[in-house]
Amino acid sequence: MRVIGTAGHVDHGKSTLVKALTGIDPDRLKEEKERAMTIDLGFAWFTLPSGESVSVVDVPGHEHFIKNMLAGVGGIDAAMLVIAADEGIMPQTREHIAILDLLHVNAAVVALTKSDLIDDPEWFALIGADIRRELSGTSLAGAHIVPVSARTRQGLDALKRELDELLAQTAARADWGKPRLPVDRVFTIAGFGTVVTGTLADGSFSAGQEVEIQPTGLKARIRGLQSHKEKVEFASPGRRLAINLTGVSPDEVKRGDVVAGPGVLSPTQMIDVRLRWLPAASGPLTHDAELEFFSGAFQTLTRVRLLGDEELPAGKEGWAQLVLADPAALATHDCFIVRQPSPSLTVGGGVIVDAHPAERHRRFKPEVVERLARLAHGTPEEIVLETLSRSEPVAAEDALKQSSLPRAEAEAALHTLREAGTVIALDEQTLMTLAGWRRVLETLRSALAAYHRQVPLRGGIPREELRSRMRLPARVFDLAAARAAREGVIAESPTSVRLASHAVTYTSVQEAKVKQVMAALVRERFAPPSYDECAAMAGADLLAALIEQERIVRVNESVVFDAGAYREMVERIRAHLHAHGAITVAQVRDMFNASRKYALGMMEHLDDIKLTRRVGDERVLRG
């Protein structure tokens, strides 16, 4: 599951567009509705044309609420930059673009809202050129511009298609096996207690799991999980979640805290970073400057210790150590934003290269700068995992070659990842990351659950249909299905697949129809009602379920038998063949006092299943 975040200037129609796309009003606060302006984060969801469900985080556009905006964009996969066609680029548009660029949001689409107000093609051309110029040189460069109108619904389908294609080309969130969810909202529900929401940044959560609230270290347990208001038992990275926690009260958790697996995170107040100072900053960044720090939903004040520069000019990057005013639950590779307190303005940001430095570094030490440069490129394990995630499933040999690491180093890193369970093997050669496997499982569960809802009387989906829905090569599908079956997620047969938890159940009305059709078949065991007659009694779907459960056997288009009668017929025909070597249709007819229709149908069926073969007017046993 993916997360899309809005961005853009106040009153350019972000929330109105989200409501038009999803049918959900993201403005949930009374004050927001009274002022017709987004103040805090809003949440919604909808289904893309491909069938993928996506979450939407709607952020405030007003400069006074930029801190709330920062709490929402840290966990998004793609941005929907909203620009009003009648106004174009505005101050908060520029600041939001800078923030998305600093957070390395590389996937974006520009929604040119209020397009119904403009009928001048030249104006559209000017606005488009202005937008492309503003995005040039940022991570959003090349974003497609889609004119839309929430009022007339013009362009909404085109926008959905563009988002669908964009996310299909965007790498899924990596899973390092370290579950953590930055909290962006805390509330209570009567009878359930504490509920927190956020985007799962890493690892997985499941109901009943023990967790920690960092940086406080409080212990809690997951009572339940919801996504898009539906209960889920398991969640993988990138999913928007509501977590019902036991063991903590609502006033013990706040926005900016992180729900994490035990031992995954520890508090820090000092971090080493690669910091970029924006060209829009009013002057150079000086050593020991005090700034506002934001990462995920967390915010605090920080002192900036420049390590390799006397000062950092606008538009430049450098190494720094940040000393935070409050303990934070942060991890290496997390992105951050810094803002000057007054006048309030985003001035820079970057990436954490060490979330727990061992000491306060001395400035201008070459060995310190060299070490930070090495850390910025990642550990061998991280490099191999990233290589795998780009093209999984992948042969082990190919992964080693593609990693760009020395062979021995790559092999050692791969061994470590497999020992830790971060990389799994579908067979002796085919590897996947744990994150990739969990995505396959989630797709598998979703496809099967949808099929079971659609056709509840069927025991399972045909294997080839499921493979087609999952868009997997045949060999990979077979390996994945076998592993999912070993893990108890599915049950498979040579022809079909079902969720392990799925069982066909009948309503009282259906049960009465089952009794009726089974009684009719048993009354005339060897000359029963035809398939069409049975379907008229039970209904085609119910009859198909009985055939799938092998309570009824269909030998051709029109002939069906009760399973007991069918077995008796097969055994008596087999015994005759063992005794006499051959049998005719007429002999079968007389043996069961049935018409030629049933005798011929049975013998042709036995030919089809390779029990007998025809020799002239007779049948003999095969083999």
Side-chain angles (χ1 to χ4, degrees):
M1 186 174 292
R2 305 301 190 90
V3 181
I4 298 168
T6 63
H9 195 76
V10 64
D11 202 32
H12 275 205
K14 294 185 295 298
S15 299
T16 304
L17 178 59
V18 169
K19 186 175 181 180
L21 284 171
T22 67
I24 300 169
D25 186 355
D27 287 340
R28 53 189 169 81
L29 303 179
K30 180 181 178 182
E31 186 180 358
E32 290 177 317
K33 297 184 184 298
E34 290 174 349
R35 297 173 64 178
M37 181 175 67
T38 301
I39 295 171
D40 204 351
L41 301 177
F43 306 100
W45 57 90
F46 69 106
T47 302
L48 294 169
S50 65
E52 181 178 8
S53 180
V54 292
S55 303
V56 182
V57 179
D58 185 41
V59 305
H62 197 285
E63 61 180 335
H64 291 168
F65 306 114
I66 195 73
K67 296 176 183 180
N68 289 340
M69 180 267 185
L70 288 167
V73 296
I76 66 174
D77 297 298
M80 186 164 60
L81 180 61
V82 177
I83 301 174
D86 59 340
E87 289 190 343
I89 300 288
M90 297 292 282
Q92 245 51 61
T93 313
R94 292 188 174 91
E95 185 166 14
H96 283 200
I97 290 170
I99 288 168
L100 294 171
D101 186 36
L102 289 166
L103 296 177
H104 299 170
V105 177
N106 298 312
V109 60
V110 178
L112 197 60
T113 53
K114 306 183 184 182
S115 292
D116 58 310
L117 302 179
I118 306 297
D119 57 7
D120 183 356
E122 289 190 11
W123 178 259
F124 277 115
L126 288 171
I127 289 288
D130 195 22
I131 292 170
R132 283 186 283 272
R133 184 167 50 253
E134 198 69 40
L135 298 183
S136 176
T138 74
S139 63
L140 280 62
H144 291 178
I145 302 171
V146 183
V148 296
S149 168
R151 186 179 67 84
T152 67
R153 304 192 65 81
Q154 165 200 342
L156 293 188
D157 289 341
L159 180 58
K160 289 180 180 180
R161 289 193 299 271
E162 182 63 35
L163 288 168
D164 209 353
E165 292 175 9
L166 183 69
L167 290 173
Q169 299 166 12
T170 303
R173 193 177 300 268
D175 187 343
W176 304 98
K178 299 177 179 180
R180 59 190 180 111
L181 179 139
V183 174
D184 53 37
R185 189 179 171 211
V186 183
F187 56 95
T188 60
I189 296 179
F192 290 90
T194 304
V195 178
V196 301
T197 70
T199 301
L200 186 54
D202 190 4
S204 61
F205 280 142
S206 56
Q209 185 173 342
E210 301 294 327
V211 294
E212 296 174 346
I213 311 301
Q214 292 292 359
T216 60
L218 293 171
K219 309 294 183 183
R221 185 176 62 82
I222 297 177
R223 180 178 181 180
L225 298 168
Q226 278 196 1
S227 182
H228 298 175
K229 293 191 175 180
E230 290 187 359
K231 182 179 178 181
V232 295
E233 295 297 325
F234 173 87
S236 52
R239 183 186 278 267
R240 282 290 308 175
L241 278 181
I243 305 180
N244 183 198
L245 295 171
T246 62
V248 291
S249 62
D251 57 0
E252 291 179 307
V253 189
K254 63 183 184 300
R255 174 179 285 182
D257 286 348
V258 179
V259 179
V264 166
L265 291 176
S266 57
T268 183
Q269 281 189 257
M270 190 164 61
I271 55 177
D272 293 340
V273 303
R274 182 66 172 173
L275 189 149
R276 176 151 60 101
W277 196 241
L278 290 177
S282 58
L285 173 62
T286 58
H287 178 69
D288 209 34
E290 184 177 64
L291 298 170
E292 293 177 318
F293 173 91
F294 301 83
S295 184
F298 174 78
Q299 66 178 81
T300 188
L301 292 174
T302 184
R303 289 280 180 183
V304 182
R305 303 188 63 249
L306 294 175
L307 299 177
D309 304 277
E310 284 288 354
E311 61 179 23
L312 197 61
K316 298 297 182 181
E317 294 187 21
W319 301 106
Q321 190 169 61
L322 305 187
V323 181
L324 307 177
D326 299 294
L330 301 169
T332 298
H333 302 314
D334 282 354
C335 293
F336 66 91
I337 299 292
V338 287
R339 307 186 81 235
Q340 64 183 26
S342 181
S344 184
L345 181 68
T346 300
V347 288
V351 178
I352 299 172
V353 296
D354 190 348
H356 295 87
E359 59 184 0
R360 185 184 176 96
H361 301 309
R362 293 181 60 184
R363 300 181 69 198
F364 310 117
K365 298 284 287 184
E367 58 270 27
V368 170
V369 172
E370 290 170 6
R371 174 181 172 274
L372 295 180
R374 286 196 303 273
L375 286 175
H377 290 93
T379 65
E381 288 78 17
E382 290 167 346
I383 292 170
V384 170
L385 197 62
E386 174 64 24
T387 301
L388 277 167
S389 66
R390 284 199 303 267
S391 55
E392 61 186 329
V394 63
E397 184 63 27
D398 292 339
L400 295 172
K401 289 178 181 177
Q402 295 168 14
S403 70
S404 76
L405 293 171
R407 176 80 183 202
E409 194 172 359
E411 287 179 340
L414 184 57
H415 176 75
T416 300
L417 291 168
R418 292 188 64 173
E419 286 290 305
T422 311
V423 169
I424 64 168
L426 294 182
D427 63 9
E428 292 182 0
Q429 289 298 320
T430 310
L431 304 180
M432 290 190 76
T433 65
L434 181 61
W437 172 241
R438 285 172 174 165
R439 286 193 297 274
V440 168
L441 279 184
E442 186 168 349
T443 303
L444 186 61
R445 285 191 184 99
S446 297
L448 288 173
Y451 184 84
H452 293 328
R453 286 194 299 270
Q454 182 183 359
V455 195
L457 294 178
R458 294 295 301 275
I461 184 173
R463 290 179 68 91
E464 188 56 32
E465 182 179 343
L466 178 60
R467 188 188 73 79
S468 177
R469 289 190 183 193
M470 295 183 68
R471 301 177 184 177
L472 290 176
R475 176 177 171 275
V476 174
F477 173 78
D478 289 340
L479 291 172
R483 184 180 180 94
R486 291 196 298 273
E487 292 185 7
V489 175
I490 67 168
E492 60 171 345
S493 75
T495 59
S496 67
V497 182
R498 63 174 173 84
L499 284 174
S501 58
H502 175 70
V504 175
T505 57
Y506 299 136
T507 64
S508 57
V509 173
Q510 289 170 334
E511 192 64 55
K513 291 181 178 180
V514 168
K515 290 180 179 177
Q516 180 187 6
V517 74
M518 294 306 296
L521 290 171
V522 170
R523 272 195 305 271
E524 300 290 340
R525 300 188 68 214
F526 306 125
S530 68
Y531 174 87
D532 289 342
E533 290 169 330
C534 291
M537 281 186 274
D541 289 343
L542 191 54
L543 185 58
L546 293 171
I547 292 171
E548 187 175 42
Q549 293 167 15
E550 299 182 354
R551 294 176 66 179
I552 295 174
V553 180
R554 187 178 187 181
V555 300
N556 64 22
E557 289 297 312
S558 62
V559 177
V560 293
F561 292 104
D562 162 68
Y566 171 82
R567 286 193 295 271
E568 182 180 338
M569 292 176 76
V570 172
E571 289 308 312
R572 288 173 63 180
I573 291 169
R574 191 199 303 269
H576 180 97
L577 288 168
H578 279 301
H580 304 286
I583 195 169
T584 65
V585 170
Q587 288 174 316
V588 174
R589 179 197 62 199
D590 295 340
M591 183 183 296
F592 297 105
N593 193 26
S595 71
R596 178 177 173 80
K597 177 181 78 170
Y598 297 101
L600 180 60
M602 174 58 82
M603 294 315 300
E604 289 179 342
H605 166 72
L606 296 182
D607 292 343
D608 290 339
I609 66 171
K610 310 301 183 187
L611 179 65
T612 61
R613 61 185 176 88
R614 184 175 177 176
V615 179
D617 290 334
E618 296 181 322
R619 261 73 175 187
V620 297
L621 281 172
R622 283 183 178 267

